[in-house]
Amino acid sequence: MSRPQQITVLGATGSIGLSTLDVIARHPDRYQVYALSGFTRLRELLALCVRHTPQFAVVPEASAARGLQDDLRAAGLSTRVLVGEEGLCQVASDPEVDAVMAAIVGAAGLRPTLAAVETGKKILLANKEALVMSGALFMQAVRKSGSVLLPIDSEHNAIFQCMPQDFARGLGAVGVRRILLTASGGPFRQTPMAELAHVTPDQACAHPNWSMGRKISVDSASMMNKGLELIEACWLFDAKPSQVEGVIHPQSVIHSLVDYIDGSVLAQLGNPDMRTPIANALAWPERIDSGVPPLDLFAIARLDFQAPDEERFPCLRLARQAAEAGNSAPAMLNAANEVAVAAFLDGRVRYPQIASIIEEVLNLEPVVAVDDLEAVFTADAKARELAGQWLSRHGR
Ligand code: NAD
Ligand code: MG
């Protein structure tokens, strides 16, 4: 048997990171953890290092690194601690590494994920914001390095599984008419509109079907998550925004569908547990046990579908507009959303103001071409600045 694949998990202490480590631990003969990164929960990172004995751990700054290095030594481990974005890029691109789970949340994941792409790693992409911000450059880098890009987002993993067999060999989405992107509709699908101004961060994070980090939970409540996923789908599957249709499906059992020109519609179903797409991507094109129990269709009994409502979910409209405008618009949308969601989680703005902030930022700043990474980060910084100005005027 060949040596186990060496895996770097960026964002190991998060929801996706932990699910990834759960799947990896079920298959010690196939996978070995090469590096783990954490940003805040560093006690948990220490425990993960003890459990998975990586070669490297990465933390945000030097004093945290010293503390973790001492604790690791005291625990008898030879794990070396690296610091900051440079450390993340190093463990993402190290020649020893076979695959990188990109599970840092937000724009902070872009540079390390690109470092993995540029060195031809197998990329397990959870960090959708990276692709939204820099889609054209990201996909260009994938083609140039020959990196294998496997989607972790449950919808995109479902679409990937329903694509023609030759799709993964670069032969395109032959015969595909539409992509149907399912969405649960989140916790506020039926909340009276007048009550939305009073919902709390904890209510927004109480997703009916999925357990996730707080930022993506708020994105799911506002359906910005679906908007980001629309942009993500266009890049991953070479589709136009008009070919991607959102479908509200409250049970979260069908994870998305592909509609072919002959009238066939292929869907992927499963329990809402991210270990399924993670196991699918880790082992692709093979299949491995993920620990997810079998789907019980009799217990589910029915599957419902509804058209999304852009009045209830203005973030969907804003994301579709940004998808159509392309260039710097998706990076601006993403950055304004990151600032607005953080402000909502901190109690500085009300839930409906998330969309107001993003809309104002997009209206204030013209769309420009983004030909390199610097231009992407310039658009990102401009949007953060404008969103910050909105907060100083209207925020609590
Ligand atoms: P999370 O908040 O649970 O975890 C985020 C991870 O990123 C943590 O390890 C954190 O330490 C790290 N991190 C945060 N800020 C950082 C920074 N500035 N620099 C470096 N590291 C930082 O989030 P999550 O739910 O695991 O989501 C991770 C990514 O996966 C997001 O992009 C999300 O959209 C995507 N995703 C998540 C799910 C899910 O079910 N949780 C599903 C689909 C896609
Ligand atoms: Mg998703």
Side-chain angles (χ1 to χ4, degrees):
M1 175 117 192
S2 51
R3 82 180 196 4
Q5 290 179 43
Q6 302 296 308
I7 317 285
T8 282
V9 183
L10 302 175
T13 52
S15 164
I16 292 287
L18 294 174
S19 292
T20 304
L21 292 172
D22 181 282
V23 177
I24 286 178
R26 289 166 195 275
H27 304 279
D29 50 328
R30 296 181 71 117
Y31 308 112
Q32 223 166 46
V33 175
Y34 183 77
L36 297 174
S37 87
F39 196 67
T40 47
R41 294 193 289 267
L42 299 185
R43 298 303 311 167
E44 279 96 328
L45 183 61
L46 173 64
L48 293 175
C49 289
V50 170
R51 169 89 182 75
H52 298 278
T53 62
Q55 307 284 318
F56 293 98
V58 188
V59 297
E61 40 89 33
S63 69
R66 278 192 296 274
L68 180 63
Q69 191 68 77
D70 290 346
D71 292 343
L72 287 165
R73 229 176 266 126
L77 296 185
S78 57
T79 304
R80 283 181 48 207
V81 183
L82 305 177
V83 181
E85 194 165 73
E86 201 182 318
L88 293 171
C89 291
Q90 183 179 328
V91 297
S93 59
D94 195 298
E96 292 285 305
V97 172
D98 299 295
V100 174
M101 165 56 79
I104 289 174
V105 59
L110 177 55
R111 278 202 180 91
T113 306
L114 272 182
V117 170
E118 281 159 3
T119 44
K121 308 301 181 199
K122 175 163 145 180
I123 310 293
L124 316 176
L125 184 72
N127 179 208
K128 66 190 86 185
E129 296 91 343
L131 189 56
V132 166
M133 290 171 73
S134 70
L137 297 167
F138 194 107
M139 296 309 290
Q140 225 171 56
V142 167
R143 281 189 292 272
K144 188 167 168 208
S145 71
S147 213
V148 174
L149 177 59
L150 297 163
I152 294 299
D153 219 335
S154 57
E155 296 77 4
H156 304 73
N157 185 267
I159 296 160
F160 181 74
Q161 293 194 50
C162 296
M163 277 283 159
Q165 267 182 357
D166 287 341
F167 177 79
R169 293 200 291 124
L171 297 185
V174 179
V176 171
R177 179 162 50 195
R178 276 183 316 166
I179 288 170
L180 301 170
L181 196 60
T182 53
S184 68
F188 304 143
R189 183 170 61 89
Q190 292 171 313
T191 307
M193 297 284 278
E195 284 175 27
L196 290 177
H198 307 289
V199 297
T200 65
D202 284 344
Q203 286 172 310
C205 290
H207 196 279
N209 307 331
W210 297 95
S211 150
M212 308 180 285
R214 284 172 80 78
K215 189 262 178 183
I216 182 176
S217 294
V218 175
D219 285 349
S220 299
S222 69
M223 287 195 76
M224 177 54 89
N225 185 49
K226 215 43 55 181
L228 298 176
E229 290 183 356
L230 159 75
I231 300 170
E232 185 185 11
C234 290
W235 288 116
L236 286 172
F237 305 113
D238 197 17
K240 295 189 211 47
S242 59
Q243 281 178 291
V244 184
E245 204 169 299
V247 178
I248 296 206
H249 164 47
Q251 290 90 356
S252 299
V253 168
I254 297 182
H255 298 306
S256 279
L257 314 90
V258 175
D259 175 14
Y260 285 86
I261 49 178
D262 65 1
S264 301
V265 179
L266 303 194
Q268 186 260 1
L269 284 70
N271 286 313
D273 186 323
M274 290 306 292
R275 289 176 302 172
T276 294
I278 290 167
N280 178 267
L282 264 174
W284 184 85
E286 294 170 19
R287 299 253 178 198
I288 54 169
D289 172 36
S290 63
V292 176
L295 185 65
D296 183 350
L297 282 175
F298 300 118
I300 294 156
R302 56 181 283 178
L303 301 175
D304 295 309
F305 307 99
Q306 224 181 295
D309 172 354
E310 288 192 354
E311 207 180 313
R312 174 177 289 274
F313 297 112
C315 287
L316 265 183
R317 170 178 52 81
L318 296 171
R320 190 173 281 284
Q321 287 165 357
E324 270 150 15
N327 297 299
S328 60
M332 304 266 306
L333 172 92
N334 176 67
N337 181 56
E338 285 191 28
V339 173
V341 170
F344 171 66
L345 286 171
D346 286 346
R348 292 191 63 198
V349 301
R350 294 177 189 276
Y351 165 84
Q353 294 176 315
I354 294 174
S356 314
I357 294 173
I358 301 164
E359 181 144 35
E360 179 168 306
V361 169
L362 292 178
N363 283 342
L364 282 175
E365 195 60 20
V367 175
V368 295
V370 281
D371 297 327
D372 52 27
L373 208 54
E374 209 184 303
V376 172
F377 280 109
T378 303
D380 174 277
K382 186 71 204 174
R384 284 172 203 272
E385 183 193 325
L386 292 171
Q389 288 168 5
W390 192 103
L391 287 173
S392 6
R393 270 183 281 120
H394 308 289
R396 276 179 275 178

